[in-house]
mmCIF file of all heavy atoms in Angstrom:
data_model
loop_
_atom_site.group_PDB
_atom_site.id
_atom_site.type_symbol
_atom_site.label_atom_id
_atom_site.label_comp_id
_atom_site.label_asym_id
_atom_site.label_seq_id
_atom_site.Cartn_x
_atom_site.Cartn_y
_atom_site.Cartn_z
ATOM 1 N N HIS A 65 -15.608 -93.036 -4.994
ATOM 2 C CA HIS A 65 -15.346 -91.958 -4.035
ATOM 3 C C HIS A 65 -16.677 -91.597 -3.372
ATOM 4 O O HIS A 65 -17.286 -90.572 -3.653
ATOM 5 C CB HIS A 65 -14.705 -90.762 -4.743
ATOM 6 C CG HIS A 65 -13.374 -91.093 -5.325
ATOM 7 N ND1 HIS A 65 -12.238 -91.156 -4.547
ATOM 8 C CD2 HIS A 65 -13.010 -91.444 -6.559
ATOM 9 C CE1 HIS A 65 -11.233 -91.519 -5.316
ATOM 10 N NE2 HIS A 65 -11.658 -91.701 -6.522
ATOM 11 N N THR A 66 -17.115 -92.487 -2.472
ATOM 12 C CA THR A 66 -18.429 -92.369 -1.852
ATOM 13 C C THR A 66 -18.371 -92.152 -0.355
ATOM 14 O O THR A 66 -19.401 -92.282 0.322
ATOM 15 C CB THR A 66 -19.247 -93.634 -2.158
ATOM 16 O OG1 THR A 66 -18.475 -94.774 -1.711
ATOM 17 C CG2 THR A 66 -19.553 -93.780 -3.631
ATOM 18 N N ASP A 67 -17.208 -91.845 0.187
ATOM 19 C CA ASP A 67 -17.090 -91.698 1.646
ATOM 20 C C ASP A 67 -18.085 -90.680 2.202
ATOM 21 O O ASP A 67 -18.576 -90.841 3.318
ATOM 22 C CB ASP A 67 -15.663 -91.269 2.023
ATOM 23 C CG ASP A 67 -14.663 -92.394 1.821
ATOM 24 O OD1 ASP A 67 -15.071 -93.570 1.715
ATOM 25 O OD2 ASP A 67 -13.463 -92.097 1.771
ATOM 26 N N TRP A 68 -18.404 -89.666 1.418
ATOM 27 C CA TRP A 68 -19.339 -88.630 1.870
ATOM 28 C C TRP A 68 -20.777 -89.183 2.059
ATOM 29 O O TRP A 68 -21.591 -88.575 2.715
ATOM 30 C CB TRP A 68 -19.333 -87.459 0.914
ATOM 31 C CG TRP A 68 -19.780 -87.808 -0.484
ATOM 32 C CD1 TRP A 68 -19.044 -88.427 -1.461
ATOM 33 C CD2 TRP A 68 -21.069 -87.584 -1.036
ATOM 34 N NE1 TRP A 68 -19.810 -88.596 -2.596
ATOM 35 C CE2 TRP A 68 -21.043 -88.086 -2.359
ATOM 36 C CE3 TRP A 68 -22.241 -87.031 -0.547
ATOM 37 C CZ2 TRP A 68 -22.163 -88.028 -3.188
ATOM 38 C CZ3 TRP A 68 -23.340 -86.971 -1.384
ATOM 39 C CH2 TRP A 68 -23.283 -87.460 -2.686
ATOM 40 N N LEU A 69 -21.041 -90.362 1.493
ATOM 41 C CA LEU A 69 -22.360 -90.980 1.631
ATOM 42 C C LEU A 69 -22.473 -91.944 2.806
ATOM 43 O O LEU A 69 -23.565 -92.359 3.181
ATOM 44 C CB LEU A 69 -22.715 -91.761 0.356
ATOM 45 C CG LEU A 69 -23.028 -90.932 -0.874
ATOM 46 C CD1 LEU A 69 -23.122 -91.814 -2.102
ATOM 47 C CD2 LEU A 69 -24.324 -90.172 -0.656
ATOM 48 N N ARG A 70 -21.330 -92.296 3.379
ATOM 49 C CA ARG A 70 -21.313 -93.289 4.464
ATOM 50 C C ARG A 70 -22.210 -92.808 5.603
ATOM 51 O O ARG A 70 -22.178 -91.673 6.030
ATOM 52 C CB ARG A 70 -19.896 -93.489 4.970
ATOM 53 C CG ARG A 70 -19.826 -94.679 5.936
ATOM 54 C CD ARG A 70 -18.507 -95.344 5.998
ATOM 55 N NE ARG A 70 -17.928 -95.797 4.754
ATOM 56 C CZ ARG A 70 -18.322 -96.876 4.071
ATOM 57 N NH1 ARG A 70 -19.337 -97.582 4.480
ATOM 58 N NH2 ARG A 70 -17.713 -97.216 2.969
ATOM 59 N N GLY A 71 -23.080 -93.682 6.065
ATOM 60 C CA GLY A 71 -24.003 -93.363 7.148
ATOM 61 C C GLY A 71 -25.329 -92.807 6.628
ATOM 62 O O GLY A 71 -26.269 -92.641 7.407
ATOM 63 N N HIS A 72 -25.388 -92.495 5.340
ATOM 64 C CA HIS A 72 -26.627 -91.961 4.763
ATOM 65 C C HIS A 72 -27.353 -93.005 3.932
ATOM 66 O O HIS A 72 -28.596 -93.027 3.929
ATOM 67 C CB HIS A 72 -26.327 -90.735 3.908
ATOM 68 C CG HIS A 72 -25.716 -89.606 4.683
ATOM 69 N ND1 HIS A 72 -26.433 -88.842 5.571
ATOM 70 C CD2 HIS A 72 -24.455 -89.156 4.715
ATOM 71 C CE1 HIS A 72 -25.641 -87.937 6.102
ATOM 72 N NE2 HIS A 72 -24.431 -88.104 5.618
ATOM 73 N N VAL A 73 -26.623 -93.821 3.200
ATOM 74 C CA VAL A 73 -27.205 -94.904 2.413
ATOM 75 C C VAL A 73 -26.376 -96.158 2.651
ATOM 76 O O VAL A 73 -25.203 -96.100 3.012
ATOM 77 C CB VAL A 73 -27.254 -94.579 0.890
ATOM 78 C CG1 VAL A 73 -28.156 -93.394 0.617
ATOM 79 C CG2 VAL A 73 -25.868 -94.332 0.321
ATOM 80 N N ALA A 74 -27.014 -97.328 2.442
ATOM 81 C CA ALA A 74 -26.315 -98.591 2.651
ATOM 82 C C ALA A 74 -25.255 -98.801 1.578
ATOM 83 O O ALA A 74 -25.472 -98.464 0.412
ATOM 84 C CB ALA A 74 -27.321 -99.750 2.629
ATOM 85 N N MET A 75 -24.107 -99.354 1.989
ATOM 86 C CA MET A 75 -23.003 -99.602 1.068
ATOM 87 C C MET A 75 -22.444 -101.005 1.312
ATOM 88 O O MET A 75 -22.625 -101.573 2.387
ATOM 89 C CB MET A 75 -21.870 -98.600 1.308
ATOM 90 C CG MET A 75 -22.260 -97.168 1.096
ATOM 91 S SD MET A 75 -20.864 -96.113 1.575
ATOM 92 C CE MET A 75 -21.071 -94.827 0.412
ATOM 93 N N ASP A 76 -21.739 -101.512 0.323
ATOM 94 C CA ASP A 76 -21.070 -102.787 0.505
ATOM 95 C C ASP A 76 -19.685 -102.564 1.119
ATOM 96 O O ASP A 76 -19.324 -101.420 1.412
ATOM 97 C CB ASP A 76 -21.013 -103.598 -0.803
ATOM 98 C CG ASP A 76 -20.112 -103.008 -1.872
ATOM 99 O OD1 ASP A 76 -19.276 -102.122 -1.579
ATOM 100 O OD2 ASP A 76 -20.213 -103.471 -3.033
ATOM 101 N N GLU A 77 -18.949 -103.652 1.315
ATOM 102 C CA GLU A 77 -17.658 -103.558 1.976
ATOM 103 C C GLU A 77 -16.591 -102.815 1.157
ATOM 104 O O GLU A 77 -15.554 -102.426 1.691
ATOM 105 C CB GLU A 77 -17.131 -104.965 2.347
ATOM 106 C CG GLU A 77 -16.822 -105.867 1.156
ATOM 107 C CD GLU A 77 -18.055 -106.586 0.608
ATOM 108 O OE1 GLU A 77 -19.178 -106.341 1.059
ATOM 109 O OE2 GLU A 77 -17.868 -107.415 -0.318
ATOM 110 N N HIS A 78 -16.884 -102.545 -0.117
ATOM 111 C CA HIS A 78 -15.931 -101.818 -0.967
ATOM 112 C C HIS A 78 -16.370 -100.379 -1.202
ATOM 113 O O HIS A 78 -15.833 -99.713 -2.082
ATOM 114 C CB HIS A 78 -15.758 -102.539 -2.299
ATOM 115 C CG HIS A 78 -15.301 -103.972 -2.157
ATOM 116 N ND1 HIS A 78 -14.038 -104.303 -1.726
ATOM 117 C CD2 HIS A 78 -15.959 -105.107 -2.354
ATOM 118 C CE1 HIS A 78 -13.934 -105.600 -1.680
ATOM 119 N NE2 HIS A 78 -15.083 -106.143 -2.044
ATOM 120 N N SER A 79 -17.377 -99.920 -0.476
ATOM 121 C CA SER A 79 -17.899 -98.557 -0.558
ATOM 122 C C SER A 79 -18.742 -98.300 -1.801
ATOM 123 O O SER A 79 -18.937 -97.144 -2.188
ATOM 124 C CB SER A 79 -16.801 -97.516 -0.430
ATOM 125 O OG SER A 79 -16.199 -97.594 0.837
ATOM 126 N N PHE A 80 -19.227 -99.349 -2.458
ATOM 127 C CA PHE A 80 -20.194 -99.167 -3.543
ATOM 128 C C PHE A 80 -21.567 -99.093 -2.920
ATOM 129 O O PHE A 80 -21.877 -99.757 -1.925
ATOM 130 C CB PHE A 80 -20.132 -100.325 -4.542
ATOM 131 C CG PHE A 80 -18.894 -100.319 -5.399
ATOM 132 C CD1 PHE A 80 -17.817 -101.117 -5.057
ATOM 133 C CD2 PHE A 80 -18.797 -99.511 -6.512
ATOM 134 C CE1 PHE A 80 -16.665 -101.111 -5.825
ATOM 135 C CE2 PHE A 80 -17.656 -99.487 -7.289
ATOM 136 C CZ PHE A 80 -16.567 -100.294 -6.936
ATOM 137 N N VAL A 81 -22.437 -98.258 -3.483
ATOM 138 C CA VAL A 81 -23.780 -98.029 -2.960
ATOM 139 C C VAL A 81 -24.680 -99.223 -3.302
ATOM 140 O O VAL A 81 -24.722 -99.665 -4.437
ATOM 141 C CB VAL A 81 -24.380 -96.732 -3.534
ATOM 142 C CG1 VAL A 81 -25.803 -96.513 -3.030
ATOM 143 C CG2 VAL A 81 -23.511 -95.531 -3.156
ATOM 144 N N LEU A 82 -25.393 -99.733 -2.288
ATOM 145 C CA LEU A 82 -26.351 -100.822 -2.510
ATOM 146 C C LEU A 82 -27.640 -100.259 -3.052
ATOM 147 O O LEU A 82 -28.142 -99.242 -2.553
ATOM 148 C CB LEU A 82 -26.599 -101.575 -1.199
ATOM 149 C CG LEU A 82 -25.388 -102.293 -0.618
ATOM 150 C CD1 LEU A 82 -25.735 -102.911 0.751
ATOM 151 C CD2 LEU A 82 -24.886 -103.362 -1.571
#
Side-chain angles (χ1 to χ4, degrees):
H65 297 281
T66 55
D67 289 343
W68 62 280
L69 288 171
R70 189 154 306 285
H72 299 287
V73 296
M75 300 174 147
D76 68 14
E77 65 276 6
H78 303 290
S79 296
F80 288 98
V81 178
L82 296 175

